[in-house]
Amino acid sequence: MARIVVIGAGLGAMATAARLAVAGHGVTVYERGSTYGGAVGRFERDGFAFDTGPGLLHLPAVYRDLFVKTGKEPLEERVALTQVDPAARHVFADGTRVDLPNASRAGTVAALDTALGAGAGERWGDFLVRAREAWDRTRRPLLEEPRPADPAPLAREPYPALKPGLLRRPTTTLAQVGARELREPRLAALLDAYAWSYGFDPATAPASAAVLPYMEQTFGSWYVGGGLRALADAVYERCRERRVAFVFDTPVEAVLEKDGRAVGIRTAGGDIVEADHVVSGAPVPALYRDRVVEGGAGDGLPGHQAIGTSRVTACLALRGPRESEAVHRTVVHAEGERPTVTVLRPDDPALRPDADHESVTVTATVPTAPERDAAGWEAFAERMVEAAGRAVPGLRGRLLWQHVRTPEDVRRETGAAEVPGPALAGAGGRLLPADNRSPLPGLWFAGGWSHPGGGLAHAGMSGALVAGFIVEGADFRGSR
Ligand SMILES: Cc1cc2nc3c(=O)[nH]c(=O)nc-3n(C[C@H](O)[C@H](O)[C@H](O)COP(=O)(O)OP(=O)(O)OC[C@H]3O[C@@H](n4cnc5c(N)ncnc54)[C@H](O)[C@@H]3O)c2cc1C
């Protein structure tokens, strides 16, 4: 039995901890905050509750596998999972609306034809065929297997863009895919919105970001009853059942090294904890910035995703019941100064004081630079609420109060103001996260800042990969 220390109690770290404990290791998690879950938080006030991190789950298979492998129990026994249908309503800048069904290619094509004019659905369907090719080419190395020793092939673009016209430069960005292949401003805005929702600017995101709408529209969007925080609760409980120990309010200040190998940690309180392996689920850039791991930029810092964006979330407490025709997710597309926002209205009694009230979250992706002051964020939140008014009838009149969360809140809860996105191929490798194998033997990286990247499913996969390395050794090639 090895002694294993895990830094941070985010979802990627907890997924690793549960798997290692089941393999017979002694696992202790050191978390600097007073609770588990990291980004997957909950804000509660006056009987209203809101997810402060992700509001939907994609690729639930990752957590199904975790629960089966750590306890021979279906995920559905621990949390209530429902498919969100329609997957999303889109409200475009010109006021056009379209409801896209969950995981139905034919339904999506028909809905787009009806809302945007004949031919729109077919163009989107043809685009998804090309997106699938990019998905098939990268799914294993970018999601299911350890990061390849030579990531150079992943730095190349896998999306089979249509040939550009004469004299045109080749298609490299997602925005170019929209303009050249979808040839309809609203269809292009639809594509852009998928990139924004994962934190990528379509003007700079590689064409391979086409896998994001492919993934959602093929495998569906899921809601966890009680909010996504209920998933964090379930993973934490599973860890506890497998005798993972948790030490809260204890930041890790340093990874200890001896003879070129990680041999333990030092907490901020000065305690030394020896370990055979150290797994860090804390953000990789913060580990180096705060010198938890020796070595700064250009001095051993492993390559990690440079995304440059975070989220602003407005939690809105509304009086009056949710109207019966309300949908769970509405994307209100940008118009002028107003950003693209995602409005989530789960029909979940656990999130509201009674049926005469409703809790709504509104999220926008924002660049982390330049920084804004309090007044800047207030003005930005005002524009978000204005946009949300296009998804919630009579919003202003119903608003009891609002609570706005900025990138500074994200930094407080995770250790990084930026929110990492899933690994993407292309872009010269700029969007590939750090390897799970750190430069220091015995130190491993799990969670959204390491392969295969950010997001619940991807961070959950990092747990399977790191546990695989520790249990099966360096030859581990991913579970089949
Ligand atoms: C506002 C927001 C919206 C999001 N929306 C989506 C979405 O729509 N879809 C999606 O899939 N994903 C989304 N994400 C991302 C997703 O929540 C994360 O990628 C996922 O939860 C994985 O997190 P993680 O394992 O990297 O750990 P994190 O959640 O980053 O947690 C890291 C943990 O490590 C702890 N820690 C840091 N440093 C130390 C230290 N030195 N010592 C001890 N502990 C330390 C932190 O306190 C924290 O608990 C969102 C995130 C945020 C913040």
Side-chain angles (χ1 to χ4, degrees), residues 7-13 30-33 35-40 52-56 58 197-198 250-253 281-283 287 292 311 313 363 410 412-415 419-420 446-449 453-457 459:
I7 306 174
L11 266 286
Y30 288 83
E31 164 58 50
R32 57 176 203 156
T35 184
Y36 50 85
V40 187
T52 56
L56 294 173
H58 297 106
S197 74
Y198 287 87
T250 306
V252 171
E253 200 176 66
L287 288 173
V292 174
R311 305 287 195 286
T313 306
T363 313
V410 174
R412 212 184 45 250
E413 278 156 19
T414 66
V419 176
W449 286 98
L456 288 168

Side-chain angles (χ1 to χ4, degrees), residues 11-13 15-16 57-60 62-63 135 138-139 141-144 198 200 211-212 215 305 420-424 431 433 436 445-466:
L11 266 286
T16 321
L57 177 63
H58 297 106
L59 303 176
V62 172
Y63 288 91
W135 170 261
T138 55
R139 176 177 56 89
L142 272 191
L143 182 62
E144 297 172 359
Y198 287 87
F200 301 111
V211 300
L212 302 172
M215 185 181 76
Q305 191 183 65
L424 289 182
L431 298 174
N436 306 111
F445 293 142
W449 286 98
S450 60
H451 179 80
L456 288 168
H458 290 68
M461 270 309 293
S462 76
L465 294 173
V466 170

Side-chain angles (χ1 to χ4, degrees), residues 266-354:
R266 186 178 67 242
T267 68
D271 291 333
I272 304 280
V273 184
E274 292 179 1
D276 303 301
H277 295 273
V278 176
V279 176
S280 178
V284 173
L287 288 173
Y288 285 85
R289 184 194 60 218
D290 302 340
R291 298 241 156 216
V292 174
V293 179
E294 281 304 311
D299 178 19
L301 175 65
H304 63 268
Q305 191 183 65
I307 191 163
T309 58
S310 189
R311 305 287 195 286
V312 177
T313 306
C315 307
L316 310 182
L318 305 188
R319 69 168 75 80
R322 180 184 189 272
E323 72 275 11
S324 56
E325 62 276 16
V327 298
H328 192 119
R329 171 167 59 170
T330 305
V331 178
V332 181
H333 291 255
E335 191 191 351
E337 288 277 281
R338 243 183 37 205
T340 294
V341 298
T342 299
V343 182
L344 293 182
R345 306 178 67 186
D347 187 10
D348 187 342
L351 303 186
R352 57 196 179 218
D354 54 45

Side-chain angles (χ1 to χ4, degrees), residues 201-456:
D201 180 342
T204 54
S208 76
V211 300
L212 302 172
Y214 173 79
M215 185 181 76
E216 280 199 26
Q217 293 196 357
T218 306
F219 306 112
S221 300
W222 303 73
Y223 177 66
V224 178
L228 265 284
R229 175 72 182 171
L231 180 66
D233 294 341
V235 177
Y236 173 71
E237 284 308 320
R238 172 49 51 89
C239 284
R240 300 287 297 147
E241 288 158 13
R242 296 293 162 257
R243 299 183 189 284
V244 173
F246 283 81
V247 184
F248 290 107
D249 301 308
T250 306
V252 171
E253 200 176 66
V255 171
L256 304 177
E257 184 184 337
K258 191 173 173 209
D259 301 330
R261 194 187 154 82
V263 290
I265 56 147
R266 186 178 67 242
T267 68
D271 291 333
I272 304 280
V273 184
E274 292 179 1
D276 303 301
H277 295 273
V278 176
V279 176
S280 178
V284 173
L287 288 173
Y288 285 85
R289 184 194 60 218
D290 302 340
R291 298 241 156 216
V292 174
V293 179
E294 281 304 311
D299 178 19
L301 175 65
H304 63 268
Q305 191 183 65
I307 191 163
T309 58
S310 189
R311 305 287 195 286
V312 177
T313 306
C315 307
L316 310 182
L318 305 188
R319 69 168 75 80
R322 180 184 189 272
E323 72 275 11
S324 56
E325 62 276 16
V327 298
H328 192 119
R329 171 167 59 170
T330 305
V331 178
V332 181
H333 291 255
E335 191 191 351
E337 288 277 281
R338 243 183 37 205
T340 294
V341 298
T342 299
V343 182
L344 293 182
R345 306 178 67 186
D347 187 10
D348 187 342
L351 303 186
R352 57 196 179 218
D354 54 45
D356 285 327
H357 293 87
E358 185 185 1
S359 59
V360 172
T361 57
V362 188
T363 313
T365 296
V366 287
T368 42
E371 283 182 19
R372 294 172 207 244
D373 58 14
W377 285 124
E378 210 170 294
F380 187 81
E382 189 54 31
R383 291 199 290 277
M384 287 172 66
V385 174
E386 190 191 317
R390 303 193 85 182
V392 185
L395 174 64
R396 292 280 183 192
R398 293 181 59 197
L399 190 57
L400 283 170
W401 49 259
Q402 70 188 61
H403 169 74
V404 178
R405 296 169 47 83
T406 69
E408 205 35 55
D409 296 293
V410 174
R411 187 201 297 278
R412 212 184 45 250
E413 278 156 19
T414 66
E418 296 175 42
V419 176
L424 289 182
R430 178 173 55 85
L431 298 174
L432 296 176
D435 197 338
N436 306 111
R437 295 156 287 198
S438 85
L440 181 66
L443 172 65
W444 309 88
F445 293 142
W449 286 98
S450 60
H451 179 80
L456 288 168

Side-chain angles (χ1 to χ4, degrees), residues 13-181:
M14 290 200 293
T16 321
R19 286 175 183 270
L20 288 170
V22 152
H25 299 301
V27 185
T28 306
V29 179
Y30 288 83
E31 164 58 50
R32 57 176 203 156
S34 54
T35 184
Y36 50 85
V40 187
R42 173 180 283 153
F43 174 74
E44 292 177 333
R45 185 194 288 173
D46 303 341
F48 293 89
F50 308 83
D51 276 319
T52 56
L56 294 173
L57 177 63
H58 297 106
L59 303 176
V62 172
Y63 288 91
R64 291 201 176 103
D65 185 66
L66 174 69
F67 276 78
V68 168
K69 297 272 171 57
T70 59
K72 297 192 176 59
E73 187 185 32
L75 173 63
E76 280 82 350
E77 298 268 308
R78 305 303 285 256
V79 296
L81 268 185
T82 47
Q83 298 213 43
V84 175
D85 207 354
R89 169 171 295 164
H90 286 262
V91 181
F92 296 102
D94 68 354
T96 316
R97 290 169 178 243
V98 60
D99 286 357
L100 299 183
N102 195 44
S104 164
R105 179 79 60 87
T108 298
V109 166
L112 290 172
D113 270 342
T114 307
L116 308 184
E122 193 183 335
R123 280 205 298 288
W124 183 261
D126 290 347
F127 154 73
L128 284 184
V129 170
R130 294 186 290 281
R132 183 195 171 137
E133 234 179 288
W135 170 261
D136 287 344
R137 284 180 190 165
T138 55
R139 176 177 56 89
R140 294 184 86 93
L142 272 191
L143 182 62
E144 297 172 359
E145 296 173 352
R147 180 172 152 150
D150 175 13
L154 288 176
R156 289 197 285 276
E157 178 54 68
Y159 178 78
L162 293 182
K163 291 247 177 306
L166 272 180
L167 304 178
R168 264 193 173 170
R169 288 168 186 272
T171 302
T172 54
T173 68
L174 195 70
Q176 285 171 335
V177 172
R180 295 176 178 180
E181 301 185 7

